[in-house]
Coordinates of all heavy atoms in Angstrom, one line a residue:
S1 N -146.3 -65.5 -55.8 CA -145.8 -65.0 -54.5 C -146.9 -64.4 -53.7 O -146.9 -64.4 -52.5 CB -144.7 -64.0 -54.8 OG -145.2 -62.8 -55.4
E2 N -147.9 -63.9 -54.3 CA -149.0 -63.2 -53.6 C -149.8 -64.3 -52.8 O -150.1 -64.0 -51.6 CB -150.0 -62.5 -54.6 CG -149.4 -61.5 -55.4 CD -148.8 -60.3 -54.6 OE1 -149.4 -59.9 -53.6 OE2 -147.8 -59.7 -55.1
L3 N -150.1 -65.4 -53.4 CA -150.9 -66.4 -52.7 C -150.1 -67.0 -51.5 O -150.6 -67.4 -50.5 CB -151.3 -67.5 -53.6 CG -152.4 -67.1 -54.7 CD1 -152.6 -68.3 -55.6 CD2 -153.7 -66.8 -54.0
L4 N -148.8 -67.1 -51.7 CA -147.9 -67.7 -50.7 C -147.6 -66.8 -49.5 O -147.7 -67.2 -48.4 CB -146.6 -68.1 -51.4 CG -145.6 -68.8 -50.5 CD1 -146.2 -70.2 -50.1 CD2 -144.3 -69.0 -51.2
G5 N -147.3 -65.5 -49.8 CA -146.9 -64.7 -48.7 C -147.3 -63.2 -48.6 O -146.7 -62.4 -47.9
S6 N -148.4 -62.9 -49.3 CA -148.8 -61.5 -49.2 C -150.2 -61.3 -48.5 O -151.2 -61.8 -49.0 CB -149.0 -60.9 -50.6 OG -147.7 -60.8 -51.2
G7 N -150.1 -60.7 -47.3 CA -151.3 -60.4 -46.6 C -151.8 -61.6 -45.7 O -151.2 -62.6 -45.6
R8 N -152.8 -61.2 -44.9 CA -153.3 -62.1 -43.9 C -154.1 -63.4 -44.5 O -154.3 -64.3 -43.7 CB -154.3 -61.4 -43.0 CG -153.5 -60.3 -42.2 CD -154.4 -59.6 -41.3 NE -153.6 -58.6 -40.6 CZ -153.9 -58.2 -39.4 NH1 -155.0 -58.6 -38.7 NH2 -153.1 -57.3 -38.8
T9 N -154.4 -63.3 -45.7 CA -155.0 -64.5 -46.3 C -154.0 -65.4 -47.0 O -154.4 -66.5 -47.5 CB -156.1 -64.1 -47.3 OG1 -155.5 -63.4 -48.4 CG2 -157.2 -63.3 -46.7
S10 N -152.8 -65.1 -47.0 CA -151.8 -65.9 -47.7 C -151.5 -67.2 -46.9 O -151.8 -67.3 -45.7 CB -150.5 -65.1 -47.8 OG -149.8 -65.0 -46.6
R11 N -151.0 -68.2 -47.6 CA -150.8 -69.5 -47.0 C -149.8 -69.4 -45.9 O -150.0 -70.1 -44.9 CB -150.3 -70.5 -48.1 CG -151.4 -70.8 -49.1 CD -150.9 -71.8 -50.1 NE -151.9 -72.0 -51.1 CZ -151.9 -73.1 -51.9 NH1 -150.9 -74.0 -51.9 NH2 -152.9 -73.3 -52.8
L12 N -148.7 -68.7 -46.1 CA -147.7 -68.6 -45.0 C -148.2 -67.9 -43.8 O -147.9 -68.3 -42.7 CB -146.4 -68.0 -45.5 CG -145.6 -68.8 -46.5 CD1 -144.4 -68.0 -47.0 CD2 -145.1 -70.1 -45.8
Y13 N -149.0 -66.8 -44.0 CA -149.5 -66.1 -42.9 C -150.5 -67.0 -42.1 O -150.4 -67.0 -40.8 CB -150.3 -64.8 -43.3 CG -150.6 -63.9 -42.2 CD1 -149.7 -62.9 -41.8 CD2 -151.7 -64.0 -41.4 CE1 -150.0 -62.0 -40.8 CE2 -152.0 -63.2 -40.4 CZ -151.1 -62.2 -40.1 OH -151.4 -61.4 -39.0
R14 N -151.3 -67.7 -42.8 CA -152.3 -68.5 -42.1 C -151.6 -69.6 -41.3 O -152.1 -70.0 -40.3 CB -153.3 -69.1 -43.1 CG -154.3 -68.0 -43.5 CD -155.4 -68.5 -44.5 NE -154.7 -68.9 -45.7 CZ -155.2 -69.9 -46.5 NH1 -156.3 -70.5 -46.2 NH2 -154.5 -70.2 -47.6
T15 N -150.5 -70.2 -41.9 CA -149.9 -71.3 -41.2 C -148.9 -70.9 -40.2 O -148.8 -71.5 -39.1 CB -149.2 -72.3 -42.2 OG1 -148.3 -71.6 -43.0 CG2 -150.3 -73.0 -43.1
L16 N -148.1 -69.9 -40.4 CA -147.0 -69.5 -39.5 C -147.4 -68.5 -38.5 O -146.9 -68.5 -37.3 CB -145.8 -69.0 -40.3 CG -145.0 -70.0 -41.1 CD1 -144.0 -69.3 -42.0 CD2 -144.4 -71.0 -40.3
V17 N -148.3 -67.6 -38.8 CA -148.6 -66.5 -37.9 C -149.9 -66.9 -37.1 O -149.9 -67.0 -35.9 CB -148.9 -65.2 -38.6 CG1 -149.4 -64.1 -37.7 CG2 -147.6 -64.7 -39.3
E18 N -150.9 -67.3 -37.8 CA -152.2 -67.6 -37.2 C -152.2 -69.1 -36.7 O -152.7 -69.3 -35.6 CB -153.4 -67.4 -38.1 CG -153.6 -65.9 -38.4 CD -154.7 -65.7 -39.4 OE1 -155.1 -66.6 -40.1 OE2 -155.1 -64.5 -39.5
G19 N -151.7 -70.0 -37.4 CA -151.8 -71.4 -37.1 C -150.7 -71.8 -36.0 O -151.1 -72.0 -34.8
A20 N -149.5 -71.9 -36.4 CA -148.4 -72.4 -35.5 C -148.0 -71.3 -34.5 O -147.3 -71.6 -33.6 CB -147.2 -72.9 -36.4
E21 N -148.3 -70.1 -34.8 CA -147.9 -68.9 -33.9 C -146.4 -68.9 -33.7 O -145.9 -68.6 -32.6 CB -148.7 -69.0 -32.6 CG -150.1 -68.8 -32.8 CD -150.9 -68.8 -31.4 OE1 -150.3 -69.1 -30.4 OE2 -152.1 -68.5 -31.5
L22 N -145.7 -69.1 -34.8 CA -144.2 -69.0 -34.8 C -143.7 -67.7 -35.2 O -142.6 -67.3 -34.9 CB -143.6 -70.1 -35.7 CG -143.9 -71.5 -35.4 CD1 -143.5 -72.4 -36.5 CD2 -143.2 -71.9 -34.1
A23 N -144.5 -66.9 -36.0 CA -144.0 -65.7 -36.6 C -145.0 -64.6 -36.4 O -146.2 -64.8 -36.2 CB -143.8 -65.9 -38.1
G24 N -144.5 -63.3 -36.5 CA -145.3 -62.2 -36.4 C -145.8 -61.6 -37.7 O -146.8 -61.0 -37.8
D25 N -145.0 -61.9 -38.7 CA -145.3 -61.5 -40.1 C -144.5 -62.3 -41.1 O -143.5 -62.9 -40.7 CB -144.9 -60.0 -40.3 CG -145.7 -59.4 -41.4 OD1 -146.6 -60.0 -42.0 OD2 -145.3 -58.2 -41.8
V26 N -145.0 -62.4 -42.3 CA -144.4 -63.1 -43.4 C -144.5 -62.3 -44.7 O -145.3 -61.4 -44.8 CB -145.0 -64.5 -43.6 CG1 -144.8 -65.4 -42.4 CG2 -146.4 -64.4 -44.0
G27 N -143.7 -62.6 -45.6 CA -143.8 -62.0 -46.9 C -143.1 -62.8 -48.0 O -142.2 -63.7 -47.7
A28 N -143.5 -62.7 -49.2 CA -142.8 -63.4 -50.3 C -142.9 -62.5 -51.6 O -143.8 -61.7 -51.7 CB -143.5 -64.7 -50.6
G29 N -141.9 -62.6 -52.4 CA -141.9 -61.8 -53.6 C -140.8 -62.3 -54.6 O -140.0 -63.1 -54.3
H30 N -140.9 -61.7 -55.8 CA -140.0 -62.1 -56.9 C -139.7 -60.8 -57.6 O -140.3 -59.8 -57.5 CB -140.6 -63.1 -57.8 CG -141.9 -62.6 -58.5 ND1 -141.8 -62.0 -59.7 CD2 -143.2 -62.7 -58.1 CE1 -143.1 -61.6 -60.0 NE2 -143.9 -62.1 -59.1
T31 N -138.6 -60.9 -58.4 CA -138.2 -59.8 -59.3 C -137.8 -60.3 -60.6 O -137.3 -61.5 -60.7 CB -137.1 -59.0 -58.6 OG1 -136.8 -57.9 -59.5 CG2 -135.9 -59.8 -58.4
N32 N -138.0 -59.5 -61.6 CA -137.5 -59.9 -63.0 C -136.5 -58.9 -63.5 O -136.3 -58.8 -64.6 CB -138.7 -60.1 -63.9 CG -139.5 -58.8 -64.0 OD1 -139.2 -57.8 -63.4 ND2 -140.6 -58.9 -64.8
G33 N -135.9 -58.2 -62.5 CA -135.0 -57.1 -62.9 C -133.6 -57.7 -63.0 O -133.3 -58.5 -63.9
R34 N -132.7 -57.2 -62.2 CA -131.3 -57.6 -62.3 C -131.0 -59.1 -62.1 O -130.1 -59.6 -62.6 CB -130.5 -56.8 -61.2 CG -129.0 -57.0 -61.3 CD -128.3 -56.0 -60.4 NE -126.9 -56.2 -60.5 CZ -126.0 -55.6 -59.8 NH1 -126.4 -54.7 -58.9 NH2 -124.7 -55.8 -60.0
Y35 N -131.8 -59.7 -61.3 CA -131.7 -61.1 -61.0 C -132.9 -61.9 -61.4 O -133.7 -62.2 -60.5 CB -131.4 -61.3 -59.5 CG -130.1 -60.6 -59.0 CD1 -130.3 -59.4 -58.2 CD2 -128.9 -61.0 -59.4 CE1 -129.2 -58.7 -57.8 CE2 -127.7 -60.3 -58.9 CZ -127.9 -59.1 -58.2 OH -126.8 -58.4 -57.7
P36 N -133.1 -62.2 -62.7 CA -134.3 -62.9 -63.1 C -134.4 -64.2 -62.4 O -133.4 -64.9 -62.2 CB -134.0 -63.1 -64.6 CG -132.9 -62.3 -65.0 CD -132.1 -61.9 -63.7
G37 N -135.6 -64.5 -62.0 CA -135.9 -65.8 -61.3 C -135.7 -65.7 -59.8 O -136.0 -66.7 -59.1
Y38 N -135.2 -64.6 -59.3 CA -135.0 -64.4 -57.9 C -136.4 -64.4 -57.2 O -137.3 -63.8 -57.5 CB -134.3 -63.1 -57.6 CG -134.1 -62.7 -56.2 CD1 -133.1 -63.3 -55.4 CD2 -135.0 -61.9 -55.5 CE1 -132.9 -63.0 -54.1 CE2 -134.8 -61.6 -54.2 CZ -133.7 -62.1 -53.5 OH -133.6 -61.8 -52.1
F39 N -136.4 -65.2 -56.1 CA -137.6 -65.3 -55.3 C -137.2 -65.4 -53.9 O -136.3 -66.1 -53.5 CB -138.4 -66.6 -55.7 CG -139.7 -66.7 -55.0 CD1 -140.8 -66.1 -55.4 CD2 -139.8 -67.5 -53.8 CE1 -142.1 -66.2 -54.8 CE2 -141.1 -67.6 -53.1 CZ -142.2 -66.9 -53.6
E40 N -137.9 -64.6 -53.0 CA -137.6 -64.6 -51.6 C -138.8 -64.8 -50.7 O -139.9 -64.4 -51.1 CB -136.9 -63.3 -51.3 CG -137.8 -62.0 -51.3 CD -137.1 -60.8 -50.9 OE1 -136.1 -60.8 -50.2 OE2 -137.6 -59.7 -51.3
V41 N -138.5 -65.3 -49.6 CA -139.5 -65.5 -48.6 C -138.9 -64.9 -47.3 O -137.8 -65.2 -46.9 CB -139.9 -67.0 -48.3 CG1 -140.8 -67.2 -47.2 CG2 -140.5 -67.6 -49.6
Q42 N -139.7 -64.1 -46.6 CA -139.3 -63.5 -45.3 C -140.2 -64.0 -44.2 O -141.5 -63.9 -44.4 CB -139.3 -62.0 -45.4 CG -138.4 -61.4 -46.4 CD -139.1 -60.4 -47.3 OE1 -140.3 -60.1 -47.1 NE2 -138.5 -59.9 -48.3
V43 N -139.6 -64.4 -43.1 CA -140.4 -64.8 -42.0 C -139.9 -64.0 -40.8 O -138.7 -64.2 -40.4 CB -140.3 -66.3 -41.7 CG1 -141.1 -66.7 -40.5 CG2 -140.8 -67.1 -43.0
E44 N -140.7 -63.2 -40.2 CA -140.3 -62.5 -39.0 C -140.7 -63.3 -37.8 O -141.9 -63.4 -37.4 CB -141.0 -61.1 -38.9 CG -140.6 -60.3 -37.7 CD -141.4 -59.0 -37.7 OE1 -141.4 -58.3 -38.7 OE2 -142.0 -58.7 -36.7
M45 N -139.7 -64.0 -37.2 CA -139.9 -65.0 -36.1 C -140.3 -64.2 -34.8 O -139.8 -63.1 -34.6 CB -138.7 -65.8 -35.9 CG -138.3 -66.7 -37.1 SD -139.5 -68.0 -37.4 CE -139.4 -68.9 -35.9
L46 N -141.2 -64.9 -34.1 CA -141.4 -64.4 -32.7 C -140.3 -64.9 -31.8 O -139.8 -66.0 -32.0 CB -142.8 -65.0 -32.2 CG -144.0 -64.4 -32.9 CD1 -145.3 -65.1 -32.4 CD2 -144.2 -62.9 -32.8
K47 N -140.0 -64.1 -30.8 CA -138.9 -64.4 -29.9 C -139.1 -65.8 -29.3 O -140.2 -66.1 -28.8 CB -138.7 -63.3 -28.9 CG -137.5 -63.5 -28.0 CD -137.3 -62.3 -27.1 CE -136.0 -62.5 -26.3 NZ -135.7 -61.3 -25.6
G48 N -138.0 -66.6 -29.3 CA -138.1 -67.9 -28.6 C -138.7 -69.0 -29.4 O -138.8 -70.1 -28.9
Q49 N -139.2 -68.8 -30.6 CA -139.8 -69.8 -31.4 C -138.8 -70.6 -32.2 O -137.7 -70.2 -32.4 CB -140.9 -69.2 -32.3 CG -142.1 -68.6 -31.6 CD -142.8 -69.6 -30.7 OE1 -142.9 -70.7 -31.0 NE2 -143.3 -69.1 -29.5
D50 N -139.2 -71.8 -32.6 CA -138.4 -72.8 -33.3 C -138.2 -72.4 -34.8 O -139.1 -72.6 -35.6 CB -139.0 -74.1 -33.1 CG -138.1 -75.3 -33.7 OD1 -137.1 -75.0 -34.3 OD2 -138.5 -76.4 -33.5
R51 N -137.0 -71.9 -35.1 CA -136.7 -71.5 -36.5 C -136.8 -72.7 -37.5 O -137.3 -72.6 -38.6 CB -135.4 -70.9 -36.6 CG -135.1 -70.3 -38.0 CD -133.7 -69.7 -38.2 NE -132.6 -70.7 -38.1 CZ -132.3 -71.5 -39.2 NH1 -132.9 -71.3 -40.3 NH2 -131.3 -72.3 -39.1
A52 N -136.3 -73.9 -37.0 CA -136.3 -75.1 -37.9 C -137.8 -75.5 -38.2 O -138.1 -75.9 -39.4 CB -135.6 -76.2 -37.2
K53 N -138.7 -75.4 -37.3 CA -140.1 -75.7 -37.5 C -140.7 -74.7 -38.5 O -141.4 -75.1 -39.4 CB -140.8 -75.7 -36.2 CG -142.3 -76.1 -36.3 CD -143.0 -76.2 -35.0 CE -144.4 -76.7 -35.1 NZ -145.1 -76.7 -33.8
A54 N -140.4 -73.5 -38.4 CA -140.9 -72.4 -39.3 C -140.4 -72.7 -40.7 O -141.1 -72.6 -41.7 CB -140.5 -71.0 -38.8
E55 N -139.1 -73.0 -40.8 CA -138.5 -73.3 -42.1 C -139.2 -74.6 -42.7 O -139.5 -74.6 -43.9 CB -137.0 -73.6 -41.9 CG -136.3 -73.7 -43.2 CD -134.8 -73.8 -43.0 OE1 -134.2 -72.9 -42.5 OE2 -134.2 -74.9 -43.3
K56 N -139.4 -75.6 -42.0 CA -140.1 -76.8 -42.5 C -141.5 -76.5 -43.0 O -141.8 -76.9 -44.1 CB -140.2 -77.8 -41.4 CG -140.8 -79.1 -41.8 CD -140.8 -80.1 -40.6 CE -141.4 -81.4 -40.9 NZ -142.8 -81.4 -41.1
I57 N -142.2 -75.7 -42.2 CA -143.6 -75.3 -42.7 C -143.5 -74.5 -43.9 O -144.3 -74.7 -44.9 CB -144.3 -74.6 -41.5 CG1 -144.6 -75.5 -40.4 CG2 -145.6 -73.9 -42.1 CD1 -145.1 -74.9 -39.1
T58 N -142.5 -73.6 -44.0 CA -142.4 -72.7 -45.2 C -142.1 -73.6 -46.4 O -142.8 -73.4 -47.5 CB -141.2 -71.7 -45.0 OG1 -141.5 -70.9 -43.9 CG2 -141.0 -70.9 -46.2
F59 N -141.2 -74.5 -46.3 CA -140.9 -75.4 -47.5 C -142.1 -76.3 -47.8 O -142.3 -76.5 -49.0 CB -139.6 -76.2 -47.3 CG -138.4 -75.4 -47.5 CD1 -137.5 -75.1 -46.4 CD2 -138.1 -74.9 -48.7 CE1 -136.4 -74.4 -46.6 CE2 -136.9 -74.1 -49.0 CZ -136.1 -73.9 -47.9
E60 N -142.8 -76.7 -46.9 CA -144.0 -77.5 -47.1 C -145.1 -76.7 -47.9 O -145.7 -77.2 -48.8 CB -144.7 -78.0 -45.8 CG -143.9 -79.1 -45.2 CD -144.4 -79.4 -43.8 OE1 -145.2 -78.7 -43.2 OE2 -143.9 -80.4 -43.2
Q61 N -145.2 -75.4 -47.6 CA -146.2 -74.6 -48.2 C -145.7 -74.3 -49.7 O -146.6 -74.2 -50.6 CB -146.4 -73.3 -47.5 CG -147.2 -73.5 -46.2 CD -148.6 -74.0 -46.5 OE1 -149.3 -73.6 -47.4 NE2 -149.0 -75.0 -45.7
I62 N -144.4 -74.1 -49.9 CA -143.9 -73.8 -51.2 C -144.1 -75.1 -52.1 O -144.6 -75.0 -53.2 CB -142.4 -73.5 -51.2 CG1 -142.2 -72.1 -50.6 CG2 -141.8 -73.5 -52.6 CD1 -140.8 -71.7 -50.2
A63 N -143.9 -76.3 -51.5 CA -144.1 -77.5 -52.2 C -145.5 -77.7 -52.6 O -145.9 -78.2 -53.7 CB -143.5 -78.7 -51.4
A64 N -146.4 -77.4 -51.6 CA -147.9 -77.6 -51.8 C -148.3 -76.7 -53.0 O -149.1 -77.2 -53.8 CB -148.6 -77.3 -50.6
L65 N -147.8 -75.5 -53.1 CA -148.2 -74.6 -54.2 C -147.6 -75.0 -55.5 O -148.3 -74.9 -56.5 CB -147.8 -73.2 -53.8 CG -148.3 -72.1 -54.7 CD1 -149.9 -72.1 -54.7 CD2 -147.8 -70.7 -54.2
R66 N -146.4 -75.6 -55.4 CA -145.8 -76.1 -56.6 C -146.5 -77.3 -57.2 O -146.7 -77.5 -58.4 CB -144.3 -76.4 -56.3 CG -143.6 -77.0 -57.5 CD -142.2 -77.6 -57.2 NE -142.4 -78.8 -56.3 CZ -141.7 -79.1 -55.3 NH1 -140.7 -78.3 -54.9 NH2 -141.9 -80.1 -54.6
N67 N -146.9 -78.2 -56.3 CA -147.5 -79.5 -56.6 C -149.0 -79.5 -57.0 O -149.5 -80.4 -57.7 CB -147.3 -80.5 -55.5 CG -145.8 -80.8 -55.3 OD1 -145.0 -80.7 -56.3 ND2 -145.4 -81.2 -54.1
A68 N -149.7 -78.4 -56.6 CA -151.1 -78.3 -56.9 C -151.4 -76.9 -57.2 O -151.0 -76.0 -56.5 CB -151.9 -78.8 -55.7
P69 N -152.1 -76.6 -58.3 CA -152.4 -75.2 -58.7 C -153.3 -74.6 -57.6 O -154.0 -75.3 -56.9 CB -153.1 -75.4 -60.0 CG -153.5 -76.8 -60.1 CD -152.6 -77.6 -59.2
P70 N -153.3 -73.3 -57.5 CA -154.2 -72.6 -56.6 C -155.6 -73.0 -56.9 O -156.1 -73.2 -58.0 CB -154.0 -71.1 -56.9 CG -152.7 -71.1 -57.6 CD -152.5 -72.4 -58.3
T71 N -156.4 -73.2 -55.8 CA -157.8 -73.5 -55.9 C -158.6 -72.2 -56.3 O -158.0 -71.1 -56.2 CB -158.3 -74.0 -54.6 OG1 -158.3 -73.0 -53.6 CG2 -157.6 -75.2 -54.1
E72 N -159.8 -72.4 -56.7 CA -160.6 -71.3 -57.0 C -160.8 -70.4 -55.7 O -160.8 -69.2 -55.8 CB -162.0 -71.7 -57.5 CG -162.8 -70.6 -58.0 CD -164.1 -71.1 -58.7 OE1 -164.0 -72.2 -59.4 OE2 -165.1 -70.4 -58.6
A73 N -160.9 -71.0 -54.5 CA -161.0 -70.3 -53.3 C -159.8 -69.5 -53.0 O -159.8 -68.3 -52.5 CB -161.3 -71.3 -52.1
D74 N -158.6 -70.0 -53.3 CA -157.3 -69.3 -53.2 C -157.3 -68.0 -54.1 O -157.0 -66.9 -53.6 CB -156.1 -70.1 -53.6 CG -155.7 -71.2 -52.6 OD1 -155.9 -71.0 -51.4 OD2 -155.2 -72.2 -53.0
V75 N -157.7 -68.2 -55.3 CA -157.8 -67.1 -56.2 C -158.8 -66.0 -55.8 O -158.5 -64.8 -55.8 CB -158.1 -67.5 -57.7 CG1 -158.2 -66.4 -58.6 CG2 -156.9 -68.5 -58.2
D76 N -160.0 -66.5 -55.4 CA -161.0 -65.5 -54.9 C -160.5 -64.8 -53.7 O -160.7 -63.5 -53.6 CB -162.3 -66.3 -54.5 CG -163.0 -66.8 -55.7 OD1 -162.8 -66.3 -56.9 OD2 -163.9 -67.6 -55.6
R77 N -159.8 -65.4 -52.7 CA -159.3 -64.8 -51.5 C -158.3 -63.7 -51.9 O -158.3 -62.6 -51.4 CB -158.6 -65.8 -50.6 CG -159.0 -65.7 -49.2 CD -158.3 -66.7 -48.3 NE -157.5 -67.8 -48.8 CZ -157.9 -69.0 -49.1 NH1 -159.2 -69.3 -48.9 NH2 -157.1 -69.9 -49.5
F78 N -157.4 -64.0 -52.9 CA -156.4 -63.1 -53.4 C -157.1 -61.9 -54.1 O -156.8 -60.7 -53.8 CB -155.5 -63.8 -54.4 CG -154.6 -62.8 -55.1 CD1 -153.6 -62.1 -54.5 CD2 -154.9 -62.5 -56.5 CE1 -152.8 -61.2 -55.2 CE2 -154.1 -61.7 -57.2 CZ -153.0 -61.0 -56.5
L79 N -158.1 -62.1 -54.9 CA -158.7 -61.0 -55.7 C -159.5 -60.2 -54.7 O -159.6 -58.9 -54.9 CB -159.6 -61.6 -56.7 CG -158.9 -62.3 -57.9 CD1 -159.9 -62.9 -58.8 CD2 -158.0 -61.3 -58.6
N80 N -160.1 -60.7 -53.7 CA -160.9 -60.0 -52.7 C -160.1 -59.2 -51.8 O -160.6 -58.3 -51.1 CB -161.9 -60.9 -52.0 CG -163.0 -61.4 -52.9 OD1 -163.4 -60.7 -53.9 ND2 -163.5 -62.6 -52.7
A81 N -158.8 -59.5 -51.7 CA -157.9 -58.8 -50.8 C -157.6 -57.3 -51.3 O -157.2 -56.5 -50.5 CB -156.6 -59.5 -50.6
F82 N -157.9 -57.1 -52.6 CA -157.6 -55.8 -53.1 C -158.8 -55.0 -53.4 O -159.6 -54.9 -54.0 CB -156.7 -56.0 -54.4 CG -155.4 -56.6 -54.1 CD1 -155.2 -57.9 -54.2 CD2 -154.3 -55.8 -53.6 CE1 -153.9 -58.5 -53.9 CE2 -153.1 -56.4 -53.3 CZ -152.9 -57.7 -53.5

């Protein structure tokens, strides 16, 4: 969830906020408490932007992360963010 939606170096931030300029902020997270396996993605849309396009990009980024493991550069970016 960190690589996908936490911070300005995350995949969703780079594609939805900086790239497509559809959103003002994004987030992703999971819990292993009451609802094991629960995973959420939040996209704070900018007024007047295309929600369907943002949803498509979001699902593409989830699929990309599922289909290919994080690169060394992804992991380095995440580790350097803290």
